[in-house]
């Protein structure tokens, strides 16, 4: 299978001296649905900026379906559709005109541009709105219009920068449906996100980026498989002087009436309750110490990420 994107030793040092990317290697196969997952400031936008030629790289190589952005920039650009984080269209223009105009930027002749724009609006559920000004569209429609606009020149790789940041859950799910459909039709999709849930539901492969470095690159399935086991916080209905000694469970006293317990891969909450019951301890409430994304980062980096969600 050919590679949609091949990145080698990609480095970005901003003028301020900030090293935003520290020699990234990444490979995305044609047809993949790939997530670049990382906290704020990890380097995701810088990465996307370079791939889409909006930011100049300091060193390293980027190839889009084999075309280097150094030697073959026009072809590389033509193969990519970009959906930026923020709405950036003229809200007084009509929906169809926005998409047709965009095709013009890629040199698509008017007649063909119109046909392709119409097809994109239909595909994204915006056909009924083709003659409405963008200002009158709902938030969800505007997001879909950004995708339609990115697809009008028929790219093979769609890149979305945090497509659902700040979007409510209902709208997020409806966008997922469209993205999934596009991927099933053969489009390679790369998105950046800081929602683990988004990666879990949509993506086949994931790279986790933190502080300008790729920490791990693997299938979503195997990443989630690594996430077995968890740490629980339990509130108990008595005052304890020391942590109880439970068979098979590591248990720590974190306050006189709460405990922290590690649950291993093969252990269930039920097993834990039985062990506590045998020790004469009654549980009032239970919660996870970390959310799963935090848990992932702690395991990968050894430190917590405050601004992850
Ligand atoms: P993300 O998209 O993952 O939030 P960014 O790529 O925006 O991360 O930023 C990566 C790092 O580079 C951050 O420390 C950020 O402050 C810094 N950075 C981003 N853009 C610039 C710039 N134009 N000049 C200097 N530093 C920048």
């Amino acid at each position: 299978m050919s590679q949609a994107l091949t990145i080698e030793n990609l480095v970005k040092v901003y003028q301020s001296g900030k090293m935003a990317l520290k020699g990234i290697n990444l490979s995305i196969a044609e047809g993949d649905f790939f997530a670049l997952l990382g906290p704020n400031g990890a380097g995701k936008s810088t990465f996307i900026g370079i791939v889409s030629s909006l930011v100049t790289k300091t060193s390293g190589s980027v190839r889009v379906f084999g075309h280097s952005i150094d030697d073959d920039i026009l072809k590389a650009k033509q193969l990519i559709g970009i959906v930026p984080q923020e709405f950036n269209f003229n809200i007084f223009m009509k929906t169809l005109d926005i998409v047709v105009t965009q095709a013009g930027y890629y040199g698509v002749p008017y007649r063909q541009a119109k046909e392709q724009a119409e097809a994109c609006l239909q595909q994204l559920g915006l056909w009924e709105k083709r003659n409405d000004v963008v200002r009158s569209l709902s938030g969800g429609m505007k997001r879909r219009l950004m995708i339609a606009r990115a697809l009008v020149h028929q790219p093979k790789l769609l890149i979305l920068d945090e497509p659902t940041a700040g979007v409510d859950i209902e709208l997020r799910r409806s966008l997922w449906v469209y993205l999934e459909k596009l991927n099933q039709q053969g489009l390679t999709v790369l998105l950046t996100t800081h929602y683990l849930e988004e990666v879990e539901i949509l993506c086949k492969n994931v790279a986790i980026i933190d502080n300008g470095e790729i920490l791990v690159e693997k299938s979503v399935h195997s990443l989630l498989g690594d996430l077995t086991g968890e740490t629980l916080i339990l509130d108990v209905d008595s005052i304890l002087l020391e942590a109880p000694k439970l068979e098979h469970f590591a248990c720590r006293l974190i306050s006189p009436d709460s405990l922290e317990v590690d649950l291993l891969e093969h252990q269930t909450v039920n097993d834990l309750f039985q062990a506590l019951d045998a020790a004469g301890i009654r549980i009032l409430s239970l919660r996870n110490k970390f959310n799963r994304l935090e848990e992932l980062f702690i395991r990968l980096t050894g430190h917590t990420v405050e601004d992850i969600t």
Side-chain angles (χ1 to χ4, degrees):
M1 183 173 274
S2 70
Q3 296 299 313
L5 197 59
T6 313
I7 308 290
E8 282 168 353
N9 296 319
L10 187 61
V11 172
K12 175 65 187 179
V13 183
Y14 282 106
Q15 266 183 350
S16 62
K18 170 77 195 175
M19 196 174 196
L21 298 177
K22 300 176 179 170
I24 289 209
N25 293 293
L26 202 64
S27 189
I28 300 177
E30 184 169 7
D32 204 346
F33 202 133
F34 194 98
L36 192 60
L37 173 70
N40 290 329
K44 302 183 296 297
S45 297
T46 302
F47 177 87
I48 283 191
I50 293 172
V51 172
S52 54
S53 313
L54 298 171
V55 174
T56 49
K57 62 186 165 62
T58 304
S59 61
S61 84
V62 174
R63 273 175 293 140
V64 185
F65 291 93
H67 301 275
S68 156
I69 62 165
D70 295 318
D71 310 329
D72 212 354
I73 181 75
L74 285 181
K75 187 68 193 166
K77 270 179 132 169
Q78 216 157 41
L79 288 162
I80 295 178
I82 288 279
V83 181
Q85 243 179 68
E86 310 283 340
F87 299 134
N88 59 353
F89 24 54
N90 179 345
I91 55 167
F92 300 105
M93 274 175 81
K94 287 185 182 165
T95 305
L96 179 62
D97 294 344
I98 293 249
V99 185
V100 174
T101 305
Q102 179 77 5
Y105 295 146
Y106 286 87
V108 182
Y110 180 73
R111 210 182 179 150
Q112 194 184 339
K114 201 147 176 282
E115 275 170 24
Q116 288 176 198
E118 287 175 3
C120 286
L121 289 183
Q122 272 171 347
Q123 203 171 18
L124 272 302
L126 290 168
W127 180 241
E128 304 291 313
K129 301 285 171 185
R130 63 192 178 282
N131 292 319
D132 293 10
V133 290
V134 173
R135 193 169 59 149
S136 70
L137 301 186
S138 70
M141 289 172 187
K142 286 195 190 108
R143 295 215 170 243
R144 271 158 29 216
L145 178 57
M146 301 253 279
I147 299 174
R149 187 182 59 173
L151 292 176
V152 70
H153 63 287
Q154 302 184 322
K156 291 171 73 181
L157 170 63
L158 180 68
I159 301 181
L160 305 105
D161 195 4
E162 306 223 3
T164 58
V167 168
D168 70 50
I169 188 73
E170 204 174 319
L171 184 50
R172 194 179 303 164
R173 284 179 196 284
S174 94
L175 277 172
W176 289 346
V177 171
Y178 282 101
L179 292 176
E180 208 150 46
K181 203 169 72 182
L182 291 166
N183 179 245
Q184 278 163 6
Q185 289 165 356
L187 188 71
T188 309
V189 182
L190 161 63
L191 58 79
T192 68
T193 185
H194 54 246
Y195 297 114
L196 184 60
E197 192 198 9
E198 188 153 84
V199 177
E200 195 172 350
I201 292 176
L202 281 180
C203 302
K204 294 175 193 153
N205 291 292
V206 56
I208 296 186
I209 184 170
D210 186 29
N211 205 13
E213 289 176 294
I214 302 284
L215 301 178
V216 63
E217 183 188 352
K218 51 167 55 181
S219 75
V220 172
H221 183 76
S222 96
L223 184 79
L224 295 173
D226 294 346
L227 254 185
T228 49
E230 55 197 326
T231 302
L232 300 176
I233 305 283
L234 312 170
D235 295 319
V236 301
D237 83 339
S238 44
I239 300 297
L240 303 172
L241 296 175
E242 59 178 29
K245 300 217 170 6
L246 304 178
E247 216 178 328
H248 308 306
F249 290 95
C251 184
R252 298 170 292 280
L253 189 68
I254 51 173
S255 77
D257 60 356
S258 61
L259 297 168
E260 188 177 294
V261 184
D262 297 324
L263 211 59
L264 305 177
E265 189 179 336
H266 61 279
Q267 294 175 320
T268 65
V269 176
N270 217 10
D271 298 335
L272 174 62
F273 280 2
Q274 282 181 10
L276 287 164
D277 198 42
I281 295 171
R282 240 174 61 86
I283 301 302
L284 295 176
S285 66
L286 159 153
R287 63 188 178 279
N288 277 89
K289 182 170 182 186
F290 309 110
N291 73 26
R292 294 190 316 140
L293 188 54
E294 284 179 44
E295 192 104 39
L296 248 183
F297 269 88
I298 292 162
R299 289 182 198 192
L300 290 167
T301 63
H303 60 77
T304 19
V305 179
E306 265 81 46
D307 56 354
I308 194 72
T309 48

